[in-house]
Amino acid sequence: EGMTVVFTGVIPGMSRVTAQNAVKDLGAKATPNAISKSTTLVVEGEVGTSKKARKARELGIRVIDHTEFKSLIDAS
């Protein structure tokens, strides 16, 4: 809750809209595009290391993979 989440890459078995709605249902804000000061979490999909995820790591923003993301939303 209260987080700002950015998605990058493909999340297997889940559309981008579905993923964004899942975090919104948990009280977070999903932003579709760029990493910013307000970003608190980046969810990295199945396609290699993206520029967004790399930038997030450089800025010290937490990056999780799609498997961990699915586990988190399934547990909620």
Side-chain angles (χ1 to χ4, degrees):
E1 189 169 314
M3 298 180 86
T4 300
V5 182
V6 173
F7 293 90
T8 182
V10 176
I11 299 174
M14 184 178 286
S15 73
R16 179 70 53 98
V17 171
T18 301
Q20 290 172 337
N21 287 338
V23 298
K24 288 176 186 174
D25 289 346
L26 295 172
K29 178 180 175 186
T31 59
N33 297 322
I35 304 293
S36 71
K37 290 188 269 187
S38 64
T39 303
T40 52
L41 179 68
V42 174
V43 178
E44 187 173 26
E46 215 171 32
V47 180
T49 303
S50 73
K51 287 172 37 175
K52 287 181 193 174
R54 191 170 29 255
K55 181 178 179 181
R57 287 183 179 98
E58 289 170 2
L59 295 173
I61 297 169
R62 183 177 175 204
V63 178
I64 63 173
D65 68 16
H66 61 89
T67 305
E68 187 175 354
F69 171 71
K70 284 185 169 181
S71 294
L72 288 173
I73 61 171
D74 288 344
S76 299

